[in-house]
Every structure is written in structure tokens, then in C-alpha cells.
């Protein structure tokens, strides 16, 4: 086709290869998806590391408080129950702030895309449920790790430690 068009230069026309254009668009789409998902995974890993660091540092700094509670008669079972409730409240507080903000952002994205194509607004309940489960999973596992680490400490050593 290109040879025929070059030979008859007086006609003035061109050929457009739809297959090559489609292939190029697919490659661009894959490239954008890789960078986008890579960015999302990186932000998620940074968030998880931040949550882990915050909770484990909080538990480590309260070592003396935990030792006092255990010295006045708190059993190991009650100690772990207290930490489970604390992690539940951490997760609920994060969701109390995060869910309304994310609903607002979803609605704003919907409104910005609504200019060209009219479509209804619906919430992705499966994704929201996965996010809620992920919050409780991350907070729970972090609290479990921190509580096991804090539970191994000697009461006397924690009370006499002057560095805290």
C-alpha cells in the first residue's frame, strides 16, 4: 500500500495502519498500568510501614505502664484483651476519618468524569470491605507482634529501667 502511494505521488493520500496504532496504544496502556499499580503498591507499603512503626513504638514506650498494670494483678489474658480492644479502637478511629474522606473523593472523581458521559454513582462495596478488612488485619497483626514483644519483658526490669 505504501509502495503504491509512493509511486502515484500525484494523488496525494496516505495510509494509516490501524493494527500498529492499536498495538502502540496497548503498549502505552500497559506501561501506564505498570507505573500506576507500582505507585499504589509503593504508597501502600509506606503506609503499612508507618502504621507498624507507630504502633510498635507506642507499645514499646508504654512498657513501664504495662509493667505497673501487671504488678498490681493484671493477668496475661487481661493484658492481651486490653491490647485487642486498643487495636480495635485504632482501626475504628482510622476508618472514622478515612471512610468519609474516601467517599468524598470518590464522589468528586465521579463528578469530574460526569461531564462527558452520564452514569450513576455507586460505591464499590467489595473494595471498601477489603480496605476495612485490611485496616483491621494490619493493625491487629502489628498489635499482636508488639504485645508479644512487650509480654516477654520482665516486670522488674521494665519498672527499674531509667531510660524510658
Amino acid at each position: 500500500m505504501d509502495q503504491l502511494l509512493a509511486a502515484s505521488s500525484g494523488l496525494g493520500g496516505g495510509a494509516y495502519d490501524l493494527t500498529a496504532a492499536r498495538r502502540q496504544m496497548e503498549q502505552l496502556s500497559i506501561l501506564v498500568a505498570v507505573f500506576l499499580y507500582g505507585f499504589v503498591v509503593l504508597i501502600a507499603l509506606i503506609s503499612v510501614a508507618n502504621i507498624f512503626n507507630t504502633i510498635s513504638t507506642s507499645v514499646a514506650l508504654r512498657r513501664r505502664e504495662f509493667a505497673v498494670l501487671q504488678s498490681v494483678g493484671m493477668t496475661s489474658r487481661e493484658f492481651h484483651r486490653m491490647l485487642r480492644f486498643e487495636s480495635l479502637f485504632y482501626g475504628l478511629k482510622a476508618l472514622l476519618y478515612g471512610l468519609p474522606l474516601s467517599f468524598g473523593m470518590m464522589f468528586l472523581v465521579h463528578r469530574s468524569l460526569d461531564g462527558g458521559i452520564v452514569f450513576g454513582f455507586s460505591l464499590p462495596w467489595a473494595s471498601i470491605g477489603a480496605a476495612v478488612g485490611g485496616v483491621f488485619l494490619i493493625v491487629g497483626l502489628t498489635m499482636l507482634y508488639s504485645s508479644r514483644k512487650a509480654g516477654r519483658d520482665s516486670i522488674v526490669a521494665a519498672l527499674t529501667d531509667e531510660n524510658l
Side-chain angles (χ1 to χ4, degrees):
M1 198 67 159
D2 288 332
Q3 292 173 353
L4 287 174
L5 286 173
S8 60
S9 61
L11 295 176
Y16 186 71
D17 189 1
L18 290 176
T19 306
R22 183 173 154 243
R23 191 176 309 120
Q24 186 178 13
M25 286 301 293
E26 286 176 355
Q27 289 173 349
L28 182 64
S29 175
I30 289 171
L31 181 70
V32 168
V34 165
F35 279 115
L36 181 68
Y37 286 123
F39 181 72
V40 167
V41 167
L42 181 66
I43 294 296
L45 289 175
I46 290 171
S47 299
V48 168
N50 189 14
I51 291 168
F52 181 81
N53 187 31
T54 302
I55 291 176
S56 62
T57 302
S58 170
V59 170
L61 290 175
R62 295 171 48 208
R63 210 174 113 202
R64 183 177 266 173
E65 174 190 339
F66 295 150
V68 168
L69 288 172
Q70 289 175 342
S71 70
V72 295
M74 179 180 266
T75 65
S76 176
R77 184 174 180 233
E78 292 169 337
F79 174 72
H80 290 293
R81 185 175 181 207
M82 177 189 73
L83 288 179
R84 277 194 305 269
F85 276 119
E86 191 171 314
S87 65
L88 176 72
F89 289 133
Y90 278 148
L92 289 175
K93 185 176 179 183
L95 292 173
L96 180 70
Y97 294 133
L99 285 178
L101 284 173
S102 64
F103 290 153
M105 292 298 289
M106 282 188 271
F107 185 72
L108 288 175
V109 168
H110 173 266
R111 293 292 292 168
S112 69
L113 296 175
D114 202 19
I117 303 170
V118 178
F119 56 96
F121 178 70
S122 65
L123 294 173
W125 291 110
S127 299
I128 292 169
V132 168
V135 165
F136 284 119
L137 180 73
I138 291 167
V139 170
L141 289 176
T142 303
M143 191 61 81
L144 180 68
Y145 168 78
S146 300
S147 67
R148 292 206 181 195
K149 191 174 174 184
R152 289 187 204 133
D153 290 341
S154 168
I155 295 172
V156 175
L159 289 174
T160 58
D161 193 5
E162 294 294 328
N163 294 330
L164 296 177

